[in-house]
């Protein structure tokens, strides 16, 4: 009986989350996830969270403020109008990386956009999606900036309900 349960668990696709703010350190975390975690059949879910400065016309942010956007498939992410619709700035470098990862690793890529405090929203996403694991970048803030601004990765590590891997940036800010 134990063997059957283990087999059923293996048949379920893993949901590998990568927290992204489209910075260099989050792209580093995405590449690390592709190189070290993602495997054929996984669902790679890019989770991005931000506080919108305002609700611009042409966006549908107000509809998804509490639940976040629907899952956005990779094919839609390649269209610049999609980024505007969700209040994001187009990032061709990240989209190119996601297309390469999807093709080479044979994973299903989608994005979930959340609106609000990134620390809290990422932790909520871990439970609501639910994620098997999360990979997040770390900007390497100095101690003073980390105390003043707070570290998203530090908060997520301490509050997440799944395994979290922090990929440290090689450049440190003082």
């Amino acid at each position: 009986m134990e063997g059957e349960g283990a087999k059923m668990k293996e048949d379920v696709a893993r949901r590998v989350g990568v927290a992204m703010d489209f910075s260099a350190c989050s792209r580093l975390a995405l590449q690390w996830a592709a190189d070290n975690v993602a495997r054929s059949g996984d669902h790679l879910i890019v989770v991005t969270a931000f506080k919108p400065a305002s609700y611009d016309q042409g966006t549908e942010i107000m509809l998804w403020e509490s639940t976040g956007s629907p899952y956005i498939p990779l094919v839609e992410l390649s269209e610049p109008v999609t980024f505007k619709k969700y209040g994001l700035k187009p990032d061709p470098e990240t989209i190119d990386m996601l297309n390469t990862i999807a093709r080479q690793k044979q994973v299903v890529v989608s994005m979930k956009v959340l609106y609000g405090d990134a620390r809290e929203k990422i932790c909520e996403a871990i439970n609501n999606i639910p994620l098997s694991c999360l990979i997040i970048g770390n900007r390497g803030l100095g101690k003073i900036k980390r105390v003043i601004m707070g570290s998203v990765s530090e908060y997520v590590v301490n509050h997440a309900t799944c395994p979290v891997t922090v990929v440290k940036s090689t450049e440190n800010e003082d």
Side-chain angles (χ1 to χ4, degrees), residues 103-141:
R103 186 178 60 255
Q104 289 179 350
K105 293 290 186 168
Q106 298 180 337
V107 296
V108 176
V109 175
S110 60
M111 180 182 286
K112 180 85 170 164
V113 182
L114 305 163
Y115 305 98
D117 182 83
R119 294 174 287 205
E120 294 172 6
K121 291 298 183 175
I122 291 168
C123 286
E124 287 175 19
I126 288 169
N127 295 323
N128 294 339
I129 291 176
L131 294 176
S132 306
C133 63
L134 179 78
I135 294 85
I136 188 169
N138 179 310
R139 292 182 293 174
L141 293 178

Side-chain angles (χ1 to χ4, degrees), residues 67-80:
T67 61
S69 71
Y71 292 100
I72 308 163
L74 181 57
V75 69
E76 285 184 32
L77 290 175
S78 299
E79 300 170 14

Side-chain angles (χ1 to χ4, degrees), residues 14-151:
R14 295 184 314 161
R15 292 184 183 121
V16 176
V18 178
M20 293 220 48
D21 63 2
F22 305 102
S23 65
C25 69
S26 69
R27 283 191 291 275
L28 186 65
L30 175 61
Q31 190 60 56
W32 191 93
D35 293 343
N36 297 287
V37 180
R39 61 182 184 223
S40 180
D42 283 351
H43 289 261
L44 182 68
I45 302 170
V46 174
V47 178
T48 187
F50 69 99
K51 290 181 187 174
S54 64
Y55 297 102
D56 297 330
Q57 286 189 329
T59 67
E60 299 177 19
I61 295 172
M62 287 176 43
L63 293 173
W64 301 305
E65 190 173 18
S66 62
T67 61
S69 71
Y71 292 100
I72 308 163
L74 181 57
V75 69
E76 285 184 32
L77 290 175
S78 299
E79 300 170 14
V81 70
T82 300
F83 271 75
K84 182 178 181 187
K85 178 179 178 179
Y86 296 102
L88 301 170
K89 292 181 182 164
D91 183 19
E93 186 177 349
T94 300
I95 299 307
D96 185 48
M97 286 178 70
L98 291 170
N99 278 306
T100 301
I101 293 165
R103 186 178 60 255
Q104 289 179 350
K105 293 290 186 168
Q106 298 180 337
V107 296
V108 176
V109 175
S110 60
M111 180 182 286
K112 180 85 170 164
V113 182
L114 305 163
Y115 305 98
D117 182 83
R119 294 174 287 205
E120 294 172 6
K121 291 298 183 175
I122 291 168
C123 286
E124 287 175 19
I126 288 169
N127 295 323
N128 294 339
I129 291 176
L131 294 176
S132 306
C133 63
L134 179 78
I135 294 85
I136 188 169
N138 179 310
R139 292 182 293 174
L141 293 178
K143 290 179 184 177
I144 294 171
K145 285 186 181 179
R146 191 169 46 245
V147 168
I148 294 169
M149 296 169 42
S151 166

Side-chain angles (χ1 to χ4, degrees), residues 136-174:
I136 188 169
N138 179 310
R139 292 182 293 174
L141 293 178
K143 290 179 184 177
I144 294 171
K145 285 186 181 179
R146 191 169 46 245
V147 168
I148 294 169
M149 296 169 42
S151 166
V152 173
S153 59
E154 187 175 331
Y155 181 92
V156 171
V157 164
N158 288 311
H159 294 89
T161 56
C162 74
V164 176
T165 300
V166 178
V167 178
K168 291 192 171 211
S169 175
T170 55
E171 297 177 16
N172 288 333
E173 293 181 21
D174 290 323

